[in-house]
Amino acid sequence: MSLPVVHPADRTVVVSAIQQGSGVLIADRLVLTCAHVVKSGSVLIAHPAVSDRVRATVAWIDYELDVALLETVEPVRPVPPVRLGVVDTRQAIPDCEITGFPRVQRYGPDRRLEADQYTATVLPVAGQLRGLLVCELDGPPPARPDDEQAALSGLSGGPVFMGDVLLGVARQVPRQRDGHRVECVPLAPVLAAKPFRLVCERTGIGLRQERVHGSFPRDLRYEAEYAQALGVAYRRTKIFGLDELSRHDAEWDLDTAYLSLEAQTQDRTARGGREAPEQAPPLPQRIDALLADRPRVLLRGEAGAGKTTLLWWLAAHASARTLGDAPAPLNGLIPFVVPLRTLRARGVTFPGPAELSGAAGLVVDTAPEGWAGRVLESGRALLLVDGLDEVPPEEREQAHTWLAQLLARYPNTRCVTTVRPLAVEPDWLRSEGFAKLRLLPMRNEDIQAFVAS
């Protein structure tokens, strides 16, 4: 099942321990908060959208940083792993927000809690020497200057977001500056802590750290536009190659009609690079399951087998964060679709980083300067290279060099590239760490399921 895109406020929870504070769901069972909120002992997690409180234990705590990681006994609510941002700029970052459950938002005789929301600007220089993330509230504090700490008590542990990227958690409101500032725990030392990483690994949470720079607000806005453009371009397609269904004027909705095809691994090497002994061919599996744990894939398939449709489906759904089950780790990556046949028709050879966002000819504004390079450098790119067989044989070495150099420059880039079965040598991308998969024809039951959809 796919997970919806969630607003930062949807991740904000009430943390009840020795005192009432706030926290943020970094995954459905992991809550980041402040150490002084929980200290130790019994902890309960609540969310306005969930009727029951969920018990949690302290999985890791650091009193010097004033931060704690809680693990709940069951999921609080379905959320994908949060984007984790480390501030890497001296420029002020506007348009941030802090959410939480402060005292000022407790209403009625039952002391019911309602989330509060504050817009703020992150001031990287202001807390640099003390290792803090300092936020300047855009508006006046919600109480008199001599009472702002009491009014905002309960905000401790509340998340600081830039867009949907978590930057830290609120720690305290100092009495200086008339309560206009909130001092927060930044994520850099949290992510560097080995116990924190071990808990995340044990619970299956991948840590995807991003550098938050001066261009970040503009980049986030553009990424939303880019995802919409990918959806417009790739959520509907014409299906060819199926005689039973072949109607050139028929469009199919990849949201409802897409069926995960089967593929077969073609790797014949044993551990250590030795040639594996002859063995029975591996059993076919669904392609989305095979892609999940293979960062780089060379996908072979006959014409009309569905290679291009697969790339389009990945691009549309990874950018919209609607991939479920096995390929869910691809959610939130930024797809760059490189249709080599179309590029050749335009007279373009092999695109550099700055040209990747325009390679597919999407209907979208020009990207901010350097945006694609920043995406690649952060390890958030999903490179989808379609049709290596469309490159003339005399240019295939150039194609190999282009792809190898691009991935060597940005080694954390995930990549799927398609080719017909005999267009390139079996080990053409082996030195670049590509796994080899072969896309299989649809079985009769798959065709029936496709027609029924």
Side-chain angles (χ1 to χ4, degrees), residues 199-367:
V199 173
C200 292
E201 291 171 6
R202 175 173 57 79
T203 53
I205 306 302
L207 297 178
R208 191 182 297 160
Q209 176 180 325
E210 304 177 32
R211 291 192 308 111
V212 178
H213 40 71
S215 302
F216 209 74
R218 187 181 176 194
D219 283 2
L220 285 182
R221 289 190 291 270
Y222 181 76
E223 286 172 19
E225 297 175 11
Y226 185 78
Q228 291 176 349
L230 285 166
V232 169
Y234 297 135
R235 282 184 181 272
R236 297 186 66 84
T237 184
K238 293 181 180 180
I239 303 296
F240 301 97
L242 296 175
D243 293 338
E244 296 88 344
L245 303 174
S246 184
R247 292 191 336 213
H248 286 249
D249 59 345
E251 282 194 335
W252 299 84
D253 188 341
L254 294 187
D255 282 344
T256 58
Y258 182 76
L259 179 72
S260 176
L261 301 175
E262 286 188 324
Q264 202 169 38
T265 60
Q266 293 188 305
D267 294 316
R268 290 289 186 177
T269 54
R271 292 184 183 274
R274 301 184 305 276
E275 190 73 18
E278 285 297 322
Q279 54 187 336
L283 294 175
Q285 299 181 55
R286 293 296 176 187
I287 183 63
D288 49 4
L290 290 169
L291 291 176
D293 59 355
R294 291 169 170 81
R296 298 178 181 179
V297 168
L298 176 64
L299 181 65
R300 299 176 187 268
E302 300 290 348
K307 303 185 298 297
T308 297
T309 303
L310 169 67
L311 297 193
W312 289 8
W313 179 78
L314 284 173
H317 287 277
S319 60
R321 306 185 190 190
T322 49
L323 291 170
D325 301 323
L330 302 180
N331 282 329
L333 295 182
I334 307 297
F336 294 120
V337 181
V338 182
L340 291 177
R341 179 179 182 179
T342 303
L343 289 180
R344 288 193 56 77
R346 287 193 225 148
V348 179
T349 52
F350 304 107
E355 301 165 310
L356 286 175
S357 59
L362 301 175
V363 181
V364 66
D365 286 341
T366 303

Side-chain angles (χ1 to χ4, degrees), residues 43-120:
V43 184
L44 294 174
I45 305 299
H47 190 283
V50 180
S51 57
D52 297 328
R53 295 189 296 177
V54 180
R55 192 168 298 279
T57 57
V58 178
W60 168 68
I61 193 165
D62 188 314
Y63 292 105
E64 185 175 350
L65 289 175
D66 195 9
V67 68
L69 182 64
L70 313 178
E71 184 176 359
T72 61
V73 297
E74 60 185 74
V76 177
R77 62 178 315 194
V79 292
V82 73
R83 294 174 66 181
L84 302 167
V86 173
V87 175
D88 187 24
T89 181
R90 296 172 66 87
Q91 299 179 35
I93 306 173
D95 302 324
C96 297
E97 60 182 286
I98 305 172
T99 51
F101 296 87
R103 177 181 174 185
V104 73
Q105 283 288 89
R106 300 179 192 178
Y107 296 114
D110 59 354
R111 309 294 284 170
R112 224 166 16 96
L113 285 173
E114 183 176 349
D116 208 355
Q117 180 181 30
Y118 306 93
T119 58

